[in-house]
Amino acid sequence: MVKFCCCLKQLNLDRLLARMWEEMGLVRVYTKPQGQQPDFDEPFVLSADRGGCTVEDFCNHVHKTLVKDMKYALVWGRSARHYPQHCGLSHRLEDEDVVQIVKKKEREEGGRGRFKTHSNAPARIADREKKAPLKQ
């Protein structure tokens, strides 16, 4: 009988704790590094009343420059329609969601896309060295 009462007390405290999280409007968000398992040990705690619960608020909570570097976010959890869902900054996060931030690639100098210059040759044709004419 004593074991049953202890289990019942623990169950009631778990329900009370869950109810407190709901009433206070707190949201736990877990991080997932690329290529690794999610880190369920230390969640980021966001508040709907104070800061908000969007991906942008999460990025600002992690680091203030992360919003500028973010390309998109991958979200797993109740707020996602499918796993993983590509999301932008305005996506609303729910309790115990898992978020992976994908950052923009750093730009390389010397052009864009497939028109990048990969050689050290002069840009103008007139500035290139003249080669000897072919012998016949």
Side-chain angles (χ1 to χ4, degrees):
M1 183 70 179
V2 175
K3 283 187 174 183
F4 179 75
C5 291
C6 292
C7 293
L8 189 60
K9 287 180 183 179
Q10 182 63 30
L11 182 65
N12 287 337
L13 289 178
D14 290 342
R15 287 183 184 168
L16 175 66
L17 185 61
R19 178 73 180 198
M20 288 172 56
W21 277 91
E22 289 175 18
E23 292 297 321
M24 293 172 64
L26 298 176
V27 174
R28 291 168 285 202
V29 178
Y30 299 101
T31 58
K32 181 189 176 306
Q34 185 176 4
Q36 298 177 12
Q37 293 294 320
D39 180 22
F40 291 114
D41 294 332
E42 296 182 20
F44 285 91
V45 179
L46 304 176
S47 173
D49 298 334
R50 289 187 287 166
C53 297
T54 62
V55 173
E56 183 177 9
D57 299 324
F58 171 73
C59 290
N60 286 330
H61 195 76
V62 174
H63 197 272
K64 61 184 178 181
T65 61
L66 191 58
V67 174
K68 293 187 297 185
D69 297 337
M70 188 186 104
K71 186 175 184 180
Y72 58 89
L74 296 172
V75 178
W76 292 262
R78 286 192 285 168
S79 68
R81 293 182 183 176
H82 48 82
Y83 300 125
Q85 181 176 353
H86 288 255
C87 300
L89 291 173
S90 62
H91 180 78
R92 300 231 12 111
L93 298 170
E94 292 187 23
D95 193 27
E96 297 187 345
D97 278 353
V98 177
V99 177
Q100 176 182 341
I101 302 296
V102 178
K103 294 169 74 173
K104 297 176 187 173
K105 291 183 180 179
E106 295 181 18
R107 290 188 176 186
E108 295 178 12
E109 294 184 22
R112 297 185 333 208
R114 65 180 193 195
F115 300 107
K116 291 180 184 175
T117 56
H118 295 288
S119 66
N120 295 332
R124 294 183 357 194
I125 294 175
D127 294 340
R128 295 183 184 164
E129 286 183 29
K130 302 279 186 186
K131 293 185 179 178
L134 293 175
K135 295 181 182 177
Q136 294 184 356

